[in-house]
Amino acid sequence: MTTKNFPQRYFLPEEEQPKSWLNIRAFMKNKPAPMLHPGTKQPITAADLEPVFCKACIGQELDETTEFIPIPDGILEFYRAYRPAPLIRAYFLEKALGTPAEIYYKHEGTNTSGSHKLNSAAAQAFYAKQDGLTGLTTETGAGQWGSAMAMACAFYGLDLTVYMVKVSAEQKPYRKALIETYGAELIPSPSSTTECGKKILEKDPNTSGSLGCAISEAIEKAVHTPKCRYVLGSVLNHVLLHQSIIGLECKIAFDKYGIKPDIIIGCAGGGSNLGGLIAPFAAEKLQGKSDARLIAVEPSSCPSLTEGKFDYDFGDTAQTTPLIKMYTLGCDFIPSSSHVGGLRYHGMNSTISQLYHDKILEARTAKQTEVFEAAVKFAKIEGILPAPESSHAIKIAIDEAMECKRSGEKKTILFGLTGTGYFDMSAYMQYNDKSMKD
Ligand SMILES: *Cc1c(COP(=O)(O)O)cnc(C)c1O
């Protein structure tokens, strides 16, 4: 078959869908450095993590040798409710750009929570239920992760407490309503429900909150509640593992049609969707079977890979998490306010960091206004309103397609469309009335 036959929207038939996740670390010669205990500075052990995380997730976090990890039936069951995600050939965009490049994108925004985050939320909720837990806690910044966890906890029958950065809870009332509709308790952070929240409020009663502070509150609440653990939506390696479903679905579809992508592009906040999208392609590259270019795109306001340093750092502002060797802007870095809530994290997943350090992966930055220009262009041409985070990948995909137009090369480009922009209308309003700044 030739690529000409690739349907505009391709859905992988059920019997061909992935039954295992792919663990990129198993294919790396240079493994990411181990996480260190913040007190002893020794590599973290499963016992260190047990008061905080679910058992299966800890096992996956520490596993750097198993190449394929089976997806339990109880998770596949929930995946069937919203997967496969469509793999779309951007025929309209290719034509509008007049590029010889073929452009494909994986649309992870078709589920109700609106992003790829549900892939890991489903897994983490399932494992919590399997451990006999009754509740989970987490934090959410822009609200996508909180929405995904609320959906997953409703499905598996778990209580969920979401600490939402106060300013986001106020600015995104519909996100808050969605999370509450699915039955989760939403607490604007900082709050008086935890000791660390109280301390922060004492110092500054009018603080707008931060992700670092919400993380500290969620961990404290989990550790002090019986049969309760904490879940995180990005940055950690078990989250990347769960997200490999994205890349695996693309790879299986491409193999059927004899397509080999030359350039694979994903936006990067904590690195989970990017790690998931590139997983099978990075594995091939690490085995010398492919020389595809893999590109991470970050906002110029939070350039962890492109301007950070590669060193051990904390995952949170309060400096309570294990130390992670990663590209980081410093755990006290506070990015200037922007509309890309999901990409405003000071660090980067350790596997993504190592791949970048070893030049398996490239990184680029994009400015807010040029990202929205690409988003609006994409919405008009392809019909889909993209999340601002996803639009970073769109911007660079368009740049690469235009480069093909200049050089006459017929490259195949794949990018990750991580979510919908329905909950980001105030950002689109600012772009439309020209009040948005970089
Ligand atoms: C959270 C989020 C991201 C960034 O997170 P990663 O862990 O880097 O993938 C990107 N896009 C959307 C829509 C998100 O919700």
Side-chain angles (χ1 to χ4, degrees):
M1 256 183 281
T2 71
T3 56
K4 288 231 166 47
N5 297 328
F6 199 86
Q8 188 143 357
R9 292 165 70 87
Y10 182 78
F11 293 88
L12 206 60
E14 192 172 322
E15 62 279 8
E16 295 172 36
Q17 286 165 26
K19 300 283 185 292
S20 299
W21 292 300
L22 187 155
N23 183 7
I24 311 182
R25 286 169 293 165
F27 295 86
M28 295 166 72
K29 267 196 222 81
N30 297 338
K31 310 276 188 208
M35 275 198 282
L36 301 182
H37 188 285
T40 64
K41 306 273 156 50
Q42 291 302 305
I44 209 97
T45 64
D48 294 330
L49 296 172
E50 241 158 57
V52 181
F53 292 105
C54 305
K55 287 195 196 79
C57 294
I58 297 170
Q60 293 169 353
E61 189 61 37
L62 299 176
D63 184 341
E64 47 180 45
T65 53
T66 313
E67 293 180 353
F68 293 92
I69 297 181
I71 308 173
D73 285 342
I75 298 172
L76 288 173
E77 189 189 350
F78 189 28
Y79 279 179
R80 277 197 288 277
Y82 71 98
R83 301 202 71 81
L87 176 58
I88 302 176
R89 171 84 184 265
Y91 285 114
F92 297 150
L93 184 62
E94 289 170 16
K95 193 167 161 210
L97 298 176
T99 176
E102 287 183 10
I103 307 173
Y104 298 82
Y105 56 98
K106 186 70 162 165
H107 186 5
E108 291 288 329
T110 58
N111 72 75
T112 295
S113 75
S115 82
H116 68 284
K117 291 201 170 71
L118 192 56
N119 300 329
S120 186
Q124 296 193 53
F126 169 83
Y127 287 128
K129 194 74 186 175
Q130 183 177 270
D131 278 1
L133 304 177
T134 54
L136 290 170
T137 71
T138 196
E139 77 290 331
T140 196
Q144 289 102 323
W145 173 244
S147 307
M149 270 319 296
M151 273 183 81
C153 285
F155 184 81
Y156 289 105
L158 290 157
D159 296 333
L160 176 69
T161 309
V162 181
Y163 288 90
M164 185 165 185
V165 178
K166 199 200 275 170
V167 59
S168 307
E170 286 161 4
Q171 283 174 354
K172 296 196 158 187
Y174 297 128
R175 273 283 172 203
K176 181 171 178 283
L178 179 67
I179 292 169
E180 290 175 339
T181 300
Y182 277 95
E185 183 185 8
L186 190 136
I187 303 176
S189 167
S191 75
S192 53
T193 64
T194 63
E195 289 310 313
C196 72
K198 280 185 210 157
K199 257 186 221 152
I200 293 166
L201 283 175
E202 243 164 57
K203 258 191 236 155
D204 182 5
N206 297 319
T207 174
S208 53
S210 71
L211 204 54
C213 160
I215 294 176
S216 309
E217 284 203 275
I219 294 177
E220 182 184 323
K221 168 89 174 178
V223 172
H224 291 102
T225 307
K227 295 201 173 195
C228 185
R229 292 290 184 280
Y230 165 75
V231 288
L232 188 66
S234 184
V235 187
L236 296 178
N237 284 313
H238 66 273
V239 184
L240 253 75
L241 176 77
H242 304 151
Q243 295 299 353
S244 67
I245 188 92
I246 303 172
L248 288 164
E249 282 183 5
C250 295
K251 180 78 168 64
I252 296 168
F254 280 165
D255 284 350
K256 276 179 75 169
Y257 283 85
I259 300 165
K260 281 201 171 297
D262 300 299
I263 305 174
I264 301 163
I265 304 166
C267 63
S272 75
N273 88 82
L274 173 72
L277 177 71
I278 66 172
F281 306 102
E284 280 195 333
K285 193 169 179 176
L286 288 159
Q287 294 169 298
K289 292 181 195 162
S290 143
D291 56 1
R293 287 174 58 204
L294 312 174
I295 306 176
V297 190
E298 19 182 51
S300 53
S301 58
C302 195
S304 329
L305 289 171
T306 43
E307 285 177 38
K309 62 176 188 180
F310 190 39
D311 205 351
Y312 273 106
D313 193 11
F314 292 98
D316 68 333
T317 326
Q319 311 199 344
T320 54
T321 66
L323 289 155
I324 303 174
K325 174 97 181 273
M326 60 182 174
Y327 279 89
T328 172
L329 295 161
C331 65
D332 51 0
F333 177 84
I334 298 177
S336 56
S337 76
S338 75
H339 293 290
V340 287
L343 302 181
R344 297 179 67 219
Y345 184 68
H346 67 273
M348 185 57 64
N349 163 268
S350 64
T351 302
I352 293 295
S353 292
Q354 189 65 46
L355 290 172
Y356 177 65
H357 192 70
D358 293 339
K359 302 197 162 49
I360 304 291
L361 176 76
E362 303 166 35
R364 305 258 278 270
T365 57
K367 289 198 201 99
Q368 182 158 257
T369 48
E370 57 187 22
V371 164
F372 272 83
E373 196 181 313
V376 168
K377 184 183 235 173
F378 182 83
K380 285 178 181 161
I381 297 168
E382 286 287 311
I384 295 168
L385 186 82
E389 291 89 349
S390 321
S391 305
H392 287 69
I394 298 175
K395 153 80 179 127
I396 299 300
I398 292 177
D399 285 357
E400 290 294 333
M402 293 311 285
E403 187 53 42
C404 289
K405 184 173 178 175
R406 274 186 289 276
S407 67
E409 279 176 289
K410 189 178 175 304
K411 291 199 174 135
T412 300
I413 300 169
L414 166 66
F415 72 86
L417 186 76
T418 51
T420 92
Y422 290 143
F423 289 103
D424 299 282
M425 296 320 299
S426 62
Y428 278 98
M429 281 158 72
Q430 274 192 18
Y431 178 78
N432 291 337
D433 70 18
K434 303 197 165 48
S435 61
M436 180 178 283
K437 293 190 182 69
D438 281 325

